[in-house]
């Protein structure tokens, strides 16, 4: 029975991964085209105004992200309890939490945020009124996103990735429609653009709400006096907000430090590195999103054998997926960046390579923090990891002041992340005493062996590779990476699992 359940779970994970990849490809392509149309229609000045004003609101994005994460965790946990679980109770209390956070955000946005926009923002005098309108509609858009978060979290927790992909595709198609509508709009295009985006956000709340209510039978808010559950959700959200805030502060702080010690070209290279690494890691994030609900559910059901096997498989597969992209990119970084940008800023290539190394470590260990989240006791983990993360800024400042090159900022990030990766498995064992530390050590060793084999091969054939065509080099390095992973990186049962998935897709 347990084996049949595992096979069913594996098939569901594989199917959900496909849906998430389709979602990513469609949204990426449509978003790139939409951005091009909007910039051309609004003009660089108005587009810059929207980016600045929207950026002020986006600073609070970790609020909706943390709320969605907490809702998803608690809903998945209740589903894992089976008949003992009460998803509707979690939904009602979660919505109360979202209402509270939306009110807090609204007050902050209409006081501190509004003061900053009216007194500190540097915009042309003839665009002041338009800027104020844009800011108000950006607030409305963000509040809509806050209320969209719990429904998306429920859909992911129920593993309805097909519908989740549909929502995302509908959203980017609507935004594409907005881009074409502002072309023919007779009024102030910047104000019209912000109004239409608000309407799109509201539509994207209503669609998942209707689905959750009519398909999943979730959507009626009950006034419940569940003080403990409310405190647990708010506590979990608060800790994840702290973690998200630390990420934003560290990232933007590093960018500011580069601006202090180097030219704006270094900031441009920093932005390029973030875009490239985020796009590449997006492939792995979609894969991990398919695993996360199962990790929480199996923890709640106390299916330890299946849980730890799933964590190990999610870790090694996530690492290999990113490695398949990382190897060709790192070998031909200059060629790829020049193909994309025509002219590439100084430091951009090395920044990108170091960020990919950073995300390779994250890809391997992401299932561990999912396991910590499943446990629910995230306070200790976020406290020590945030302290380590924030050490990036003083250490980077000291080294930059001492005259070290700009890429030292990224080297410090990689070094601190490496230290975090050493501590994290031991912390999981401390938190969950049944966690098989030795078994996870084998997973890490497999990742190191495959990586070492690829690095050694590259060093031995580097001179030969320099004479190859860049496109041929990318294709060859990708195929060779696939071969090495298949031959020495996968166990027999993992190969059989992949073969089974491929054969099923071919038959369909």
């Amino acid at each position: 029975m347990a084996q049949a359940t595992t096979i069913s779970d594996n098939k569901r994970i594989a199917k959900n991964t496909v849906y998430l990849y389709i979602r990513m490809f469609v949204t990426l392509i449509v978003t790139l085209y939409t951005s091009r149309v909007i910039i051309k229609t609004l003009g660089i000045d108005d587009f810059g105004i929207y980016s600045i004003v929207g950026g002020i609101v986006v600073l609070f994005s970790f609020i909706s992200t943390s709320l969605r994460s907490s809702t998803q965790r608690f809903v998945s946990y209740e589903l894992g309890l089976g008949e003992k679980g009460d998803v509707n109770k979690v939904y009602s209390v979660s919505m109360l939490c979202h209402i509270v956070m939306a009110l807090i955000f609204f007050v902050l946005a209409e006081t501190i945020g509004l003061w900053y926009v009216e007194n500190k923002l540097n915009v042309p005098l003839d665009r002041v009124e338009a800027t104020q309108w844009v800011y108000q509609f950006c607030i409305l858009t963000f509040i809509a996103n806050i209320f969209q978060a719990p429904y998306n979290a429920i859909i992911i927790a129920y593993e309805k990735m097909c519908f989740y992909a549909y929502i995302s595709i509908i959203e980017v198609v609507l935004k594409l429609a907005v881009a074409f509508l502002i072309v023919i709009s007779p009024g102030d295009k910047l104000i019209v653009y912000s109004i239409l985006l608000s309407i799109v956000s509201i539509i994207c709340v209503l669609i998942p709400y209707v689905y959750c209510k009519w398909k999943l039978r979730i959507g009626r808010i009950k006034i419940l006096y569940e003080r403990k559950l409310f405190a647990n959700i708010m506590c979990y959200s608060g800790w994840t907000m702290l973690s998200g805030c630390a990420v934003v502060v560290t990232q933007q702080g590093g960018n500011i430090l580069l601006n202090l010690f180097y030219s704006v070209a270094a900031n441009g290279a920093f932005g390029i590195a973030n875009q490239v690494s985020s796009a590449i890691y997006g492939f792995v994030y979609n894969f991990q999103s398919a695993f996360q609900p199962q990790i929480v559910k199996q923890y709640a059901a106390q299916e330890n054998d299946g849980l730890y096997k799933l964590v190990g498989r999610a870790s090694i597969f996530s690492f290999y997926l990113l490695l398949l992209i990382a190897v060709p990119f790192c070998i031909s970084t200059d060629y790829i960046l020049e193909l994309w940008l025509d002219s590439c800023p100084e430091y951009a290539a090395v920044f990108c390579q170091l960020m990919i190394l950073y995300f390779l470590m994250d890809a391997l260990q992401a299932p561990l923090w999912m396991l910590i989240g499943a446990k629910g006791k995230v306070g200790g983990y976020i406290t020590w990891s945030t302290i380590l993360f924030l050490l990036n800024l003083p250490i980077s400042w000291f080294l930059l002041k001492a005259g070290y090159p700009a890429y030292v900022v990224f080297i410090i990030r990689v070094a601190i992340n490496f230290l975090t990766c050493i501590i994290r498995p031991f912390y999981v064992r401390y938190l969950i005493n049944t966690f098989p530390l030795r078994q996870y050590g084998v997973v890490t060793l497999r990742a190191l062996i495959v990586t070492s084999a690829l690095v050694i091969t590259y060093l031995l054939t580097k001179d030969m590779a320099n004479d190859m065509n860049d496109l041929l080099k990318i294709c060859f390095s990708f195929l060779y990476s696939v071969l090495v992973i298949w031959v020495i990186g996968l166990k027999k049962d993992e190969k059989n699992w992949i073969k089974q998935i491929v054969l099923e897709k071919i038959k369909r």
Side-chain angles (χ1 to χ4, degrees), residues 77-272:
Y77 191 89
E78 293 296 317
L79 289 172
L81 293 175
E83 293 181 358
K84 296 179 182 179
D86 189 347
V87 175
N88 280 288
K89 180 179 71 175
V90 172
Y91 165 75
S92 295
V93 176
S94 175
M95 282 304 298
L96 178 60
C97 295
H98 281 75
I99 291 168
V100 170
M101 295 310 300
L103 288 173
I104 292 173
F105 165 76
F106 180 77
V107 171
L108 290 174
E110 291 292 1
T111 53
I112 298 173
L114 186 60
W115 172 84
Y116 183 84
V117 168
E118 291 181 344
N119 295 280
K120 297 296 181 180
L121 211 59
N122 184 19
V123 296
L125 291 175
D126 61 329
R127 303 304 289 157
V128 170
E129 185 178 353
T131 301
Q132 292 172 342
W133 277 104
V134 169
Y135 181 70
Q136 295 301 323
F137 283 108
C138 281
I139 292 173
L140 177 60
T141 299
F142 188 76
I143 290 174
N145 290 337
I146 289 179
F147 287 111
Q148 183 186 5
Y151 300 113
N152 284 345
I154 290 168
I155 290 166
I156 293 172
Y158 272 88
E159 299 183 75
K160 303 296 183 182
M161 301 304 183
C162 180
F163 186 77
Y164 179 64
Y166 288 152
I167 297 171
S168 301
I169 292 169
I170 290 169
E171 184 176 359
V172 295
V173 170
L174 287 173
K175 288 181 178 179
L176 179 62
V178 167
F180 288 120
L181 284 173
I182 61 171
V183 173
I184 59 174
S185 170
D188 189 308
K189 295 186 186 299
L190 180 58
I191 296 176
V192 172
Y193 177 60
S194 60
I195 293 171
L196 291 175
L197 281 188
S198 297
I199 294 171
V200 169
S201 297
I202 293 169
I203 292 171
C204 290
V205 174
L206 294 175
I207 293 173
Y209 165 74
V210 171
Y211 181 83
C212 288
K213 185 172 183 178
W214 296 107
K215 186 73 174 178
L216 303 179
R217 302 298 179 186
I218 299 171
R220 179 181 292 180
I221 301 175
K222 298 179 181 179
I223 307 300
L224 299 172
Y225 186 70
E226 293 286 347
R227 183 178 176 183
K228 184 178 179 181
L229 181 58
F230 179 83
N232 287 340
I233 293 176
M234 289 299 288
C235 182
Y236 190 98
S237 300
W239 283 114
T240 50
M241 280 182 202
L242 176 62
S243 179
C245 184
V247 171
V248 172
V249 169
T250 302
Q251 185 166 317
Q252 294 305 317
N255 204 9
I256 291 169
L257 287 176
L258 286 175
N259 188 259
L260 288 174
F261 291 95
Y262 287 88
S263 66
V264 290
N267 295 116
F270 185 95
I272 290 168

Side-chain angles (χ1 to χ4, degrees), residues 17 31 81 110 162 201 249 255 264 269 291 293 306 396 399-400 452 502:
T17 303
T31 299
L81 293 175
E110 291 292 1
C162 180
S201 297
V249 169
N255 204 9
V264 290
F291 274 92
S396 297
L399 293 176
L400 287 172
S452 300
V502 173

Side-chain angles (χ1 to χ4, degrees), residues 332 335 467-479:
S332 304
Y335 170 75
D467 298 328
M468 292 176 65
N469 176 273
D470 286 298
L471 191 59
L472 186 62
K473 193 191 302 183
I474 291 171
C475 295
F476 179 79
S477 59
F478 175 79
L479 293 173

Side-chain angles (χ1 to χ4, degrees), residues 453-469:
L454 291 171
V455 171
I456 290 169
T457 302
Y458 170 72
L459 293 175
L460 292 174
T461 60
K462 186 177 180 181
D463 293 335
M464 186 188 305
N466 288 335
D467 298 328
M468 292 176 65
N469 176 273

